[in-house]
PDB file of all heavy atoms in Angstrom:
ATOM      1  N   ARG Q1572      37.147   9.987-257.758  1.00 88.00           N
ATOM      2  CA  ARG Q1572      36.036  10.800-258.276  1.00 88.00           C
ATOM      3  C   ARG Q1572      35.239  11.443-257.169  1.00 88.00           C
ATOM      4  O   ARG Q1572      34.352  12.222-257.462  1.00 88.00           O
ATOM      5  CB  ARG Q1572      35.143   9.918-259.097  1.00 88.00           C
ATOM      6  CG  ARG Q1572      35.798   9.540-260.428  1.00 88.00           C
ATOM      7  CD  ARG Q1572      35.198   8.297-261.037  1.00 88.00           C
ATOM      8  NE  ARG Q1572      33.774   8.378-261.088  1.00 88.00           N
ATOM      9  CZ  ARG Q1572      33.083   8.196-262.202  1.00 88.00           C
ATOM     10  NH1 ARG Q1572      33.697   8.003-263.338  1.00 88.00           N
ATOM     11  NH2 ARG Q1572      31.785   8.245-262.168  1.00 88.00           N
ATOM     12  N   VAL Q1573      35.539  11.134-255.949  1.00 88.00           N
ATOM     13  CA  VAL Q1573      34.819  11.703-254.816  1.00 88.00           C
ATOM     14  C   VAL Q1573      35.600  12.933-254.335  1.00 88.00           C
ATOM     15  O   VAL Q1573      36.703  12.775-253.800  1.00 88.00           O
ATOM     16  CB  VAL Q1573      34.662  10.710-253.680  1.00 88.00           C
ATOM     17  CG1 VAL Q1573      33.917  11.362-252.475  1.00 88.00           C
ATOM     18  CG2 VAL Q1573      33.891   9.452-254.151  1.00 88.00           C
ATOM     19  N   ASN Q1574      35.064  14.081-254.478  1.00 85.00           N
ATOM     20  CA  ASN Q1574      35.885  15.283-254.231  1.00 85.00           C
ATOM     21  C   ASN Q1574      36.146  15.460-252.731  1.00 85.00           C
ATOM     22  O   ASN Q1574      37.163  15.983-252.337  1.00 85.00           O
ATOM     23  CB  ASN Q1574      35.350  16.572-254.884  1.00 85.00           C
ATOM     24  CG  ASN Q1574      33.911  16.851-254.461  1.00 85.00           C
ATOM     25  OD1 ASN Q1574      33.412  16.277-253.535  1.00 85.00           O
ATOM     26  ND2 ASN Q1574      33.277  17.741-255.226  1.00 85.00           N
ATOM     27  N   ALA Q1575      35.286  14.948-251.879  1.00 82.00           N
ATOM     28  CA  ALA Q1575      35.576  15.044-250.444  1.00 82.00           C
ATOM     29  C   ALA Q1575      36.798  14.191-250.078  1.00 82.00           C
ATOM     30  O   ALA Q1575      37.570  14.533-249.185  1.00 82.00           O
ATOM     31  CB  ALA Q1575      34.328  14.600-249.629  1.00 82.00           C
ATOM     32  N   PHE Q1576      36.895  13.069-250.773  1.00 81.00           N
ATOM     33  CA  PHE Q1576      38.000  12.164-250.545  1.00 81.00           C
ATOM     34  C   PHE Q1576      39.274  12.893-250.893  1.00 81.00           C
ATOM     35  O   PHE Q1576      40.257  12.840-250.091  1.00 81.00           O
ATOM     36  CB  PHE Q1576      37.839  10.936-251.394  1.00 81.00           C
ATOM     37  CG  PHE Q1576      38.925   9.919-251.197  1.00 81.00           C
ATOM     38  CD1 PHE Q1576      38.742   8.941-250.217  1.00 81.00           C
ATOM     39  CD2 PHE Q1576      40.083   9.940-251.962  1.00 81.00           C
ATOM     40  CE1 PHE Q1576      39.760   7.986-249.988  1.00 81.00           C
ATOM     41  CE2 PHE Q1576      41.021   8.986-251.720  1.00 81.00           C
ATOM     42  CZ  PHE Q1576      40.899   7.991-250.774  1.00 81.00           C
ATOM     43  N   ALA Q1577      39.310  13.523-252.060  1.00 78.00           N
ATOM     44  CA  ALA Q1577      40.514  14.248-252.479  1.00 78.00           C
ATOM     45  C   ALA Q1577      40.866  15.356-251.485  1.00 78.00           C
ATOM     46  O   ALA Q1577      42.014  15.550-251.114  1.00 78.00           O
ATOM     47  CB  ALA Q1577      40.314  14.811-253.850  1.00 78.00           C
ATOM     48  N   ALA Q1578      39.843  16.053-251.051  1.00 80.00           N
ATOM     49  CA  ALA Q1578      40.055  17.157-250.123  1.00 80.00           C
ATOM     50  C   ALA Q1578      40.701  16.658-248.830  1.00 80.00           C
ATOM     51  O   ALA Q1578      41.587  17.273-248.274  1.00 80.00           O
ATOM     52  CB  ALA Q1578      38.752  17.885-249.814  1.00 80.00           C
ATOM     53  N   GLU Q1579      40.200  15.486-248.366  1.00 77.00           N
ATOM     54  CA  GLU Q1579      40.717  14.967-247.125  1.00 77.00           C
ATOM     55  C   GLU Q1579      42.137  14.485-247.243  1.00 77.00           C
ATOM     56  O   GLU Q1579      42.980  14.705-246.397  1.00 77.00           O
ATOM     57  CB  GLU Q1579      39.816  13.791-246.677  1.00 77.00           C
ATOM     58  CG  GLU Q1579      40.278  13.133-245.401  1.00 77.00           C
ATOM     59  CD  GLU Q1579      40.414  14.072-244.211  1.00 77.00           C
ATOM     60  OE1 GLU Q1579      39.612  15.032-244.134  1.00 77.00           O
ATOM     61  OE2 GLU Q1579      41.348  13.897-243.394  1.00 77.00           O
ATOM     62  N   ALA Q1580      42.423  13.837-248.388  1.00 73.00           N
ATOM     63  CA  ALA Q1580      43.814  13.351-248.606  1.00 73.00           C
ATOM     64  C   ALA Q1580      44.766  14.543-248.643  1.00 73.00           C
ATOM     65  O   ALA Q1580      45.857  14.456-248.023  1.00 73.00           O
ATOM     66  CB  ALA Q1580      43.866  12.621-249.961  1.00 73.00           C
ATOM     67  N   GLU Q1581      44.316  15.612-249.227  1.00 70.00           N
ATOM     68  CA  GLU Q1581      45.138  16.848-249.282  1.00 70.00           C
ATOM     69  C   GLU Q1581      45.372  17.368-247.872  1.00 70.00           C
ATOM     70  O   GLU Q1581      46.469  17.698-247.470  1.00 70.00           O
ATOM     71  CB  GLU Q1581      44.386  17.825-250.133  1.00 70.00           C
ATOM     72  CG  GLU Q1581      44.686  19.292-249.873  1.00 70.00           C
ATOM     73  CD  GLU Q1581      45.981  19.710-250.547  1.00 70.00           C
ATOM     74  OE1 GLU Q1581      46.516  18.941-251.331  1.00 70.00           O
ATOM     75  OE2 GLU Q1581      46.418  20.810-250.277  1.00 70.00           O
ATOM     76  N   ARG Q1582      44.306  17.353-247.094  1.00 70.00           N
ATOM     77  CA  ARG Q1582      44.385  17.854-245.738  1.00 70.00           C
ATOM     78  C   ARG Q1582      45.341  17.033-244.893  1.00 70.00           C
ATOM     79  O   ARG Q1582      46.145  17.538-244.111  1.00 70.00           O
ATOM     80  CB  ARG Q1582      43.007  17.860-245.133  1.00 70.00           C
ATOM     81  CG  ARG Q1582      42.721  18.901-244.048  1.00 70.00           C
ATOM     82  CD  ARG Q1582      41.320  18.693-243.500  1.00 70.00           C
ATOM     83  NE  ARG Q1582      41.233  17.472-242.684  1.00 70.00           N
ATOM     84  CZ  ARG Q1582      41.467  17.439-241.376  1.00 70.00           C
ATOM     85  NH1 ARG Q1582      41.791  18.494-240.732  1.00 70.00           N
ATOM     86  NH2 ARG Q1582      41.366  16.289-240.780  1.00 70.00           N
ATOM     87  N   ARG Q1583      45.222  15.732-245.091  1.00 67.00           N
ATOM     88  CA  ARG Q1583      46.027  14.869-244.292  1.00 67.00           C
ATOM     89  C   ARG Q1583      47.516  15.039-244.588  1.00 67.00           C
ATOM     90  O   ARG Q1583      48.350  14.945-243.719  1.00 67.00           O
ATOM     91  CB  ARG Q1583      45.632  13.413-244.580  1.00 67.00           C
ATOM     92  CG  ARG Q1583      45.969  12.463-243.462  1.00 67.00           C
ATOM     93  CD  ARG Q1583      45.372  11.060-243.659  1.00 67.00           C
ATOM     94  NE  ARG Q1583      44.607  10.868-244.890  1.00 67.00           N
ATOM     95  CZ  ARG Q1583      44.753   9.921-245.702  1.00 67.00           C
ATOM     96  NH1 ARG Q1583      45.815   9.073-245.561  1.00 67.00           N
ATOM     97  NH2 ARG Q1583      43.993   9.776-246.724  1.00 67.00           N
ATOM     98  N   SER Q1584      47.796  15.225-245.896  1.00 63.00           N
ATOM     99  CA  SER Q1584      49.236  15.379-246.226  1.00 63.00           C
ATOM    100  C   SER Q1584      49.767  16.644-245.574  1.00 63.00           C
ATOM    101  O   SER Q1584      50.998  16.748-245.377  1.00 63.00           O
ATOM    102  CB  SER Q1584      49.412  15.438-247.750  1.00 63.00           C
ATOM    103  OG  SER Q1584      48.892  16.666-248.240  1.00 63.00           O
ATOM    104  N   ARG Q1585      48.906  17.537-245.246  1.00 60.00           N
ATOM    105  CA  ARG Q1585      49.430  18.748-244.616  1.00 60.00           C
ATOM    106  C   ARG Q1585      49.342  18.717-243.106  1.00 60.00           C
ATOM    107  O   ARG Q1585      49.769  19.634-242.390  1.00 60.00           O
ATOM    108  CB  ARG Q1585      48.617  19.969-245.088  1.00 60.00           C
ATOM    109  CG  ARG Q1585      48.939  20.382-246.518  1.00 60.00           C
ATOM    110  CD  ARG Q1585      48.167  21.664-246.919  1.00 60.00           C
ATOM    111  NE  ARG Q1585      46.777  21.399-247.240  1.00 60.00           N
ATOM    112  CZ  ARG Q1585      45.757  21.839-246.507  1.00 60.00           C
ATOM    113  NH1 ARG Q1585      45.973  22.550-245.417  1.00 60.00           N
ATOM    114  NH2 ARG Q1585      44.542  21.593-246.881  1.00 60.00           N
ATOM    115  N   SER Q1586      48.768  17.664-242.562  1.00 60.00           N
ATOM    116  CA  SER Q1586      48.505  17.663-241.130  1.00 60.00           C
ATOM    117  C   SER Q1586      49.720  17.329-240.287  1.00 60.00           C
ATOM    118  O   SER Q1586      50.717  16.774-240.783  1.00 60.00           O
ATOM    119  CB  SER Q1586      47.365  16.762-240.803  1.00 60.00           C
ATOM    120  OG  SER Q1586      47.843  15.398-240.829  1.00 60.00           O
ATOM    121  N   SER Q1587      49.653  17.610-239.017  1.00 52.00           N
ATOM    122  CA  SER Q1587      50.778  17.406-238.108  1.00 52.00           C
ATOM    123  C   SER Q1587      50.754  16.097-237.453  1.00 52.00           C
ATOM    124  O   SER Q1587      49.943  15.233-237.771  1.00 52.00           O
ATOM    125  CB  SER Q1587      50.752  18.537-237.056  1.00 52.00           C
ATOM    126  OG  SER Q1587      49.483  18.518-236.500  1.00 52.00           O
ATOM    127  N   LEU Q1588      51.601  15.865-236.479  1.00 54.00           N
ATOM    128  CA  LEU Q1588      51.652  14.673-235.705  1.00 54.00           C
ATOM    129  C   LEU Q1588      51.934  13.421-236.543  1.00 54.00           C
ATOM    130  O   LEU Q1588      51.414  12.351-236.208  1.00 54.00           O
ATOM    131  CB  LEU Q1588      50.374  14.462-234.834  1.00 54.00           C
ATOM    132  CG  LEU Q1588      50.217  15.341-233.642  1.00 54.00           C
ATOM    133  CD1 LEU Q1588      48.973  14.992-232.848  1.00 54.00           C
ATOM    134  CD2 LEU Q1588      51.409  15.216-232.711  1.00 54.00           C
ATOM    135  N   SER Q1589      52.552  13.518-237.619  1.00 65.00           N
ATOM    136  CA  SER Q1589      52.797  12.314-238.437  1.00 65.00           C
ATOM    137  C   SER Q1589      54.193  11.725-238.057  1.00 65.00           C
ATOM    138  O   SER Q1589      54.305  10.520-237.877  1.00 65.00           O
ATOM    139  CB  SER Q1589      52.703  12.548-239.917  1.00 65.00           C
ATOM    140  OG  SER Q1589      53.449  13.685-240.238  1.00 65.00           O
ATOM    141  N   GLU Q1590      55.216  12.563-237.843  1.00 77.00           N
ATOM    142  CA  GLU Q1590      56.502  12.068-237.428  1.00 77.00           C
ATOM    143  C   GLU Q1590      56.973  12.900-236.207  1.00 77.00           C
ATOM    144  O   GLU Q1590      57.066  14.068-236.309  1.00 77.00           O
ATOM    145  CB  GLU Q1590      57.523  12.151-238.514  1.00 77.00           C
ATOM    146  CG  GLU Q1590      58.923  11.735-238.085  1.00 77.00           C
ATOM    147  CD  GLU Q1590      59.522  10.653-238.953  1.00 77.00           C
ATOM    148  OE1 GLU Q1590      58.978  10.413-240.052  1.00 77.00           O
ATOM    149  OE2 GLU Q1590      60.532  10.110-238.538  1.00 77.00           O
ATOM    150  N   TRP Q1591      57.196  12.233-235.127  1.00 82.00           N
ATOM    151  CA  TRP Q1591      57.647  12.969-233.953  1.00 82.00           C
ATOM    152  C   TRP Q1591      58.302  11.982-232.963  1.00 82.00           C
ATOM    153  O   TRP Q1591      58.122  10.773-233.093  1.00 82.00           O
ATOM    154  CB  TRP Q1591      56.450  13.648-233.266  1.00 82.00           C
ATOM    155  CG  TRP Q1591      55.317  12.723-232.978  1.00 82.00           C
ATOM    156  CD1 TRP Q1591      54.257  12.504-233.863  1.00 82.00           C
ATOM    157  CD2 TRP Q1591      55.070  11.880-231.901  1.00 82.00           C
ATOM    158  NE1 TRP Q1591      53.386  11.616-233.317  1.00 82.00           N
ATOM    159  CE2 TRP Q1591      53.875  11.199-232.067  1.00 82.00           C
ATOM    160  CE3 TRP Q1591      55.758  11.664-230.680  1.00 82.00           C
ATOM    161  CZ2 TRP Q1591      53.341  10.295-231.154  1.00 82.00           C
ATOM    162  CZ3 TRP Q1591      55.215  10.802-229.759  1.00 82.00           C
ATOM    163  CH2 TRP Q1591      54.009  10.095-230.038  1.00 82.00           C
ATOM    164  N   SER Q1592      59.035  12.538-232.005  1.00 85.00           N
ATOM    165  CA  SER Q1592      59.535  11.727-230.923  1.00 85.00           C
ATOM    166  C   SER Q1592      59.508  12.505-229.675  1.00 85.00           C
ATOM    167  O   SER Q1592      59.442  13.744-229.689  1.00 85.00           O
ATOM    168  CB  SER Q1592      60.922  11.185-231.244  1.00 85.00           C
ATOM    169  OG  SER Q1592      61.818  12.270-231.371  1.00 85.00           O
TER     170      SER Q1592
END
Side-chain angles (χ1 to χ4, degrees):
Chain Q
R1572 289 158 50 125
V1573 177
N1574 55 16
F1576 182 89
E1579 178 56 35
E1581 156 78 10
R1582 209 182 69 90
R1583 206 173 354 130
S1584 70
R1585 286 184 282 113
S1586 75
S1587 52
L1588 284 184
S1589 48
E1590 174 128 14
W1591 51 271
S1592 61

